[in-house]
Amino acid sequence: MAQQKLREAALELLIRIGEHGGFSHLLIDQAIKKNAFDRRDEALLTEIVYGTIQRKLTLEYYLSHFVDGKKKMDAWVKWLLWMSMYQMIYLDKIPDHAILNEAVDISKKRGHKGISSLVNGVLRNVQRKGLPDMNGITDPARRLSLSTSHPEWLVRRWLTFYGEQITVEMCQANLTHKPMSVRVQPLKLTRQEAMEELEAEGLKVEPSIFSSQGIIICEGNVLRTKLFQEHNLSVQDQSSMLVAEMLEVEPDMTVLDACSAPGGKTTHIAEKMQNLGAVHAYDLHEKKAKLVTKRATELELSIIEAKQADSRQLQDLHEKESFDRILLDAPCSGLGVLRGKPDIKYHKREEDVRTLAAIQLELLESVCPLLKKDGKLLYSTCTVDKDENEQNIERFLQLHPEFEVDSTFTTQLPTPLQESIGLSAYGLQLFPFEFDTDGFFLTRLVKKK
């Protein structure tokens, strides 16, 4: 009964995420708390929901070989079949008969006898006949799209930008788990002290090469540790930690964080400044700006002033050349974080990417007059799209000859990153398979005059 409750919860989550566009990480967290699942069930629920969403297009392709395409099915029936097939194909610790029986029981409960017969018949056919072979698909982009469950337009776009090898590796990496990483609040304790405390609580950890404050959690749940609950640690991807490291901030500087929520990079900047100076943080939404203030308070950082504002209008609030450093962590398509938020890839369209690229350039244009001469501007996104990254920087530099890519940017990167395949004349594109991080872009511009 406990396993059926878990699978009913998984199905409900899949319908809400897949059909209604709910945020996967928030909904899963809510469901775990509401149902008070233990740690094992929590892990299985997360695996089933993320795994089914991650493999949705592949599962859809497989299912099409077992169901008449003209047959109409309710959305919940499709999700139940995909969810059950995911477990049968990709999870090896659950026997097929248990998956099948629970799927039939759920379909009886939610539907009627005809639906439960259909579910039973389809899953037994999958068991008996096996899966269709994708090698017969002659178009390589379509084959990669279906085998790794990425929309075809996205695969074709990445093939154009990066070629076959990088695209294949990126698609495959997006189907794997990424290790969690955290950042130490260095004004409270050192990284070494934090690592020793985490190991004493039974976790396996490693230092990050991206930041002297970063720790990779190889094994164990850091969210349940005393250090995390007492706000000595912040969850942050390693690629994201690189931003404050490369912004080159110092104590007593005046810094603008133009798109700051939820505040991970903002608070890291304040930590790097030893809580001396001023960080002006803005977000388009007041509620999100309040989140930044809350996080700063939890980390005992007093130099952050977070407010609501459209960053395209900050020239109304600040004089020209007011800031020593500017961070523009621009709103983006999020195509670099598909390992943790796989639902993003099904909701985005190619035209969304073009629209976002235009907004990003507008933001760059709007904040650049606020930077002092010889000041530095760091531009970052959590995407792997050239239009939003290198090409936007190229456009900006053509329009603003007073800016250039900081010549010391590459040599100041952590040594292994200086050999990255994503380095170009316009910045660093991190791919998710390269250093086991999110796909992320950053570059540092300097204002010459």
Side-chain angles (χ1 to χ4, degrees):
M1 183 57 79
Q3 290 299 296
Q4 186 170 323
K5 183 182 169 190
L6 185 150
R7 285 176 174 81
E8 283 173 344
L11 177 59
E12 197 57 47
L13 285 168
L14 286 166
I15 295 165
R16 291 180 69 186
I17 297 162
E19 298 299 315
H20 306 297
F23 291 110
S24 49
H25 56 299
L26 296 179
L27 290 173
I28 289 172
D29 190 46
Q30 285 170 11
I32 288 168
K33 285 177 182 159
K34 182 181 162 192
N35 292 287
F37 289 127
D38 64 24
R39 289 187 190 190
R40 244 170 71 182
D41 284 349
E42 177 183 325
L44 181 59
L45 178 86
T46 307
E47 172 67 54
I48 292 173
V49 174
Y50 273 124
T52 305
I53 293 170
Q54 253 169 351
R55 304 267 185 181
K56 183 190 155 197
L57 296 183
T58 308
L59 295 165
E60 198 173 30
Y61 173 77
Y62 287 151
L63 182 61
S64 70
H65 286 72
F66 298 99
V67 177
D68 182 352
K70 292 176 186 166
K71 190 172 183 63
K72 285 187 81 174
M73 270 194 294
D74 288 340
W76 72 265
V77 181
K78 281 191 280 188
W79 282 107
L80 177 61
L81 285 166
W82 290 335
M83 177 181 105
S84 305
M85 288 169 70
Y86 173 74
Q87 296 168 76
M88 289 167 74
I89 299 165
Y90 298 106
L91 304 185
D92 52 14
K93 289 186 181 164
I94 311 169
D96 284 2
H97 67 84
I99 298 163
L100 205 149
N101 288 341
E102 279 171 16
V104 170
D105 285 345
I106 291 171
S107 59
K108 275 182 193 164
K109 202 169 164 184
R110 288 189 76 119
H112 50 71
K113 198 179 170 190
I115 294 176
S116 65
S117 296
L118 170 81
V119 168
N120 186 41
V122 168
L123 296 180
R124 285 196 186 284
N125 271 337
V126 172
Q127 238 183 344
R128 197 169 56 244
K129 295 181 180 174
L131 300 171
D133 185 358
M134 289 199 188
N135 289 324
I137 302 170
T138 52
D139 181 346
R142 179 164 166 71
R143 189 168 59 245
L144 186 58
S145 159
L146 290 173
S147 62
T148 64
S149 199
H150 286 73
E152 205 171 310
W153 70 266
L154 187 57
V155 171
R156 292 190 188 284
R157 194 170 170 88
W158 286 350
L159 284 170
T160 306
F161 284 147
Y162 303 116
E164 187 180 352
Q165 188 177 342
I166 288 179
T167 304
V168 169
E169 287 195 60
M170 189 148 56
C171 289
Q172 288 173 344
N174 285 339
L175 298 174
T176 62
H177 292 291
K178 181 185 61 134
M180 182 185 272
S181 51
V182 293
R183 192 188 81 229
V184 173
Q185 209 300 27
L187 305 179
K188 293 186 176 187
L189 77 170
T190 66
R191 175 163 75 174
Q192 187 58 36
E193 288 167 343
M195 288 177 66
E196 285 169 11
E197 281 203 42
L198 292 173
E199 284 170 343
E201 286 201 49
L203 278 75
K204 286 189 180 169
V205 299
E206 283 178 7
S208 167
I209 59 164
F210 281 69
S211 166
S212 57
Q213 295 171 235
I215 299 172
I216 302 168
I217 309 299
C218 306
E219 204 175 301
N221 187 346
V222 72
L223 305 183
R224 295 179 192 268
T225 62
K226 190 177 168 197
L227 275 185
F228 179 79
Q229 288 170 0
E230 291 179 351
H231 306 298
N232 294 304
L233 304 174
S234 301
V235 173
Q236 190 174 29
D237 189 70
Q238 295 182 83
S239 57
S240 186
M241 290 180 208
L242 195 57
V243 168
E245 297 292 340
M246 294 303 292
L247 189 57
E248 263 198 326
V249 290
E250 291 171 13
D252 298 321
M253 279 186 167
T254 304
V255 178
L256 169 65
D257 185 351
C259 302
S260 63
K265 299 179 189 72
T266 321
T267 48
H268 193 190
I269 290 167
E271 290 165 1
K272 298 292 292 180
M273 294 167 67
Q274 297 172 33
N275 202 31
L276 297 168
V279 179
H280 296 262
Y282 290 95
D283 194 87
L284 187 58
H285 305 287
E286 188 169 357
K287 196 174 167 185
K288 289 187 176 179
K290 284 182 181 170
L291 280 180
V292 179
T293 302
K294 180 172 178 282
R295 190 59 191 146
T297 306
E298 287 169 348
L299 290 167
E300 299 175 30
L301 297 165
S302 58
I303 64 168
I304 296 170
E305 187 180 16
K307 290 182 179 174
Q308 181 279 328
D310 184 335
S311 288
R312 289 168 290 193
Q313 292 158 11
L314 291 181
Q315 290 184 61
D316 297 339
L317 302 175
H318 296 278
E319 297 287 329
K320 284 184 179 177
E321 301 190 351
S322 296
F323 295 98
D324 301 292
R325 298 285 184 270
I326 293 178
L327 167 61
L328 178 59
D329 185 50
C332 70
S333 58
L335 295 170
V337 297
L338 300 184
R339 294 168 84 180
K341 298 177 184 172
D343 40 316
I344 289 177
K345 61 189 172 188
Y346 307 121
H347 300 147
K348 288 284 180 246
R349 300 287 176 269
E350 199 159 11
E351 52 269 29
D352 298 335
V353 177
R354 283 193 284 269
T355 304
L356 282 162
I359 293 170
Q360 290 153 356
L361 187 59
E362 200 180 340
L363 283 164
L364 269 170
E365 290 273 354
S366 304
V367 300
C368 74
L370 301 175
L371 189 65
K372 290 178 183 174
K373 181 178 175 294
D374 296 324
K376 297 188 178 186
L377 185 157
L378 199 137
Y379 175 83
S380 63
T381 70
C382 58
T383 191
V384 288
D385 195 280
K386 280 198 174 182
D387 198 9
E388 298 178 74
N389 298 334
E390 290 97 327
Q391 291 174 1
N392 247 351
I393 295 303
E394 185 179 6
R395 290 180 199 112
F396 176 76
L397 294 176
Q398 283 170 356
L399 294 166
H400 292 275
E402 75 275 21
F403 278 86
E404 65 181 18
V405 176
D406 191 342
S407 59
T408 59
F409 172 74
T410 304
T411 55
Q412 288 181 2
L413 286 168
T415 307
L417 273 63
Q418 293 178 25
E419 302 297 321
S420 168
I421 55 172
L423 263 180
S424 73
Y426 299 106
L428 173 65
Q429 177 66 69
L430 287 165
F431 296 103
F433 59 85
E434 209 180 357
F435 296 97
D436 223 2
T437 65
D438 285 335
F440 201 88
F441 175 82
L442 73 165
T443 191
R444 191 172 68 207
L445 308 178
V446 61
K447 192 174 188 179
K448 295 180 289 182
K449 55 187 176 184

